[in-house]
Amino acid sequence: MHPDEHPRLTVEEFLTAEPDMFSTTFGDVEIVDGLVVRLLAQTEAHSRVVRRLAAALDDARDPAGPCLRVSSDVAVRFADSEDRRVDHRLNIRYPDIFVRDCEPYDVNTVRDHIALVVEVVSKSTVDADTTEKYKAYARAGIPVYLIVHFDKSWEAIDRIEEYRLDWSGLRYMPHKVHRTALVLDTPVTLAITFDALHRP
């Protein structure tokens, strides 16, 4: 299939393919209701914040606490859509960062083991991060969702919105807006300034 086309994939096609086949053919992609959606390359600032925040979360794991793993840009399968067409069902996302337990990784079930998910918004992903993924992550029962927003320059962090899951309705409720530093108490205890996250 030509890489400029907008292909659709069935669950079976995705699960039986070689892990790097889609990235080799299409570049960075996600799959939304079966449709392969190409992601634009991220900025240096975006990449730096993802890298530094993932490292901070990794360092904050308590050696005496439950076993946790920090992953970045790893495939997570979310609930299939209810469309009858087999190539309109699959939903695969690659969250910027997530923290999960240490059960063996399986793309089909890893969502059930995620304790915290982070998306660092960019110009091309802000709508998906704040609407589509916001809903999908809540429906999957992920307890904590962080959305990192940049200021107008797209170089410095403006705020980090922290949402906690309302289990009764599987929807996120605003918990806190972090303005100068991220301070977490679950699933790890962490305090890191924005300056530390985006310093050169």
Side-chain angles (χ1 to χ4, degrees), residues 6-22:
H6 294 283
R8 288 187 173 275
L9 292 173
T10 66
V11 172
E12 290 74 19
E13 287 169 335
F14 179 83
L15 295 178
T16 58
E18 292 297 320
D20 61 350
M21 188 194 96
F22 301 113

Side-chain angles (χ1 to χ4, degrees), residues 75-148:
V76 178
R77 182 179 176 189
F78 289 91
D80 293 349
S81 73
E82 295 181 6
D83 199 299
R84 291 185 178 192
R85 296 167 290 184
V86 295
D87 61 351
H88 284 63
R89 296 179 186 165
L90 182 64
N91 285 294
I92 301 286
R93 298 290 190 173
Y94 292 77
D96 284 327
I97 305 168
F98 61 85
V99 179
R100 68 175 182 91
D101 65 23
C102 291
E103 289 297 310
Y105 169 81
D106 180 331
V107 68
N108 295 303
T109 59
V110 67
R111 68 178 179 271
D112 299 329
H113 300 275
I114 297 175
L116 175 145
V117 65
V118 182
E119 293 291 356
V120 179
V121 302
S122 63
K123 291 179 183 179
S124 62
T125 67
V126 62
D127 288 340
D129 292 341
T130 57
T131 56
E132 298 166 23
K133 293 181 183 180
Y134 177 94
K135 292 175 184 175
Y137 296 166
R139 285 194 299 264
I142 297 172
V144 183
Y145 182 28
L146 302 179
I147 305 177
V148 180

Side-chain angles (χ1 to χ4, degrees), residues 3-199:
D4 288 336
E5 296 176 11
H6 294 283
R8 288 187 173 275
L9 292 173
T10 66
V11 172
E12 290 74 19
E13 287 169 335
F14 179 83
L15 295 178
T16 58
E18 292 297 320
D20 61 350
M21 188 194 96
F22 301 113
S23 60
T24 301
T25 306
F26 303 111
D28 291 336
V29 298
E30 291 189 328
I31 303 166
V32 181
D33 296 341
L35 182 68
V36 175
V37 178
R38 265 182 228 91
L39 303 178
L40 298 178
Q42 296 299 345
T43 65
E44 183 182 34
H46 180 281
S47 176
R48 184 170 57 247
V49 168
V50 169
R51 189 174 65 251
R52 292 194 191 285
L53 182 52
L57 288 164
D58 199 48
D59 290 344
R61 294 176 303 152
D62 182 355
C67 183
L68 295 173
R69 291 184 177 167
V70 179
S71 299
S72 185
D73 292 318
V74 174
V76 178
R77 182 179 176 189
F78 289 91
D80 293 349
S81 73
E82 295 181 6
D83 199 299
R84 291 185 178 192
R85 296 167 290 184
V86 295
D87 61 351
H88 284 63
R89 296 179 186 165
L90 182 64
N91 285 294
I92 301 286
R93 298 290 190 173
Y94 292 77
D96 284 327
I97 305 168
F98 61 85
V99 179
R100 68 175 182 91
D101 65 23
C102 291
E103 289 297 310
Y105 169 81
D106 180 331
V107 68
N108 295 303
T109 59
V110 67
R111 68 178 179 271
D112 299 329
H113 300 275
I114 297 175
L116 175 145
V117 65
V118 182
E119 293 291 356
V120 179
V121 302
S122 63
K123 291 179 183 179
S124 62
T125 67
V126 62
D127 288 340
D129 292 341
T130 57
T131 56
E132 298 166 23
K133 293 181 183 180
Y134 177 94
K135 292 175 184 175
Y137 296 166
R139 285 194 299 264
I142 297 172
V144 183
Y145 182 28
L146 302 179
I147 305 177
V148 180
H149 291 271
F150 285 100
D151 63 14
K152 291 181 181 179
S153 73
W154 292 96
E155 289 295 321
I157 299 171
D158 176 65
R159 68 191 184 280
I160 300 178
E161 297 171 351
E162 180 181 351
Y163 296 91
R164 299 283 181 96
L165 191 66
D166 171 7
W167 290 96
S168 66
L170 286 183
R171 60 192 176 104
Y172 285 124
M173 301 297 291
H175 181 72
K176 186 174 184 181
V177 178
H178 305 267
R179 298 286 181 184
T180 59
L182 175 62
V183 180
L184 288 178
D185 58 14
T186 186
V188 297
T189 301
L190 170 68
I192 187 167
T193 65
F194 290 0
D195 287 343
L197 287 174
H198 56 63
R199 71 179 187 272

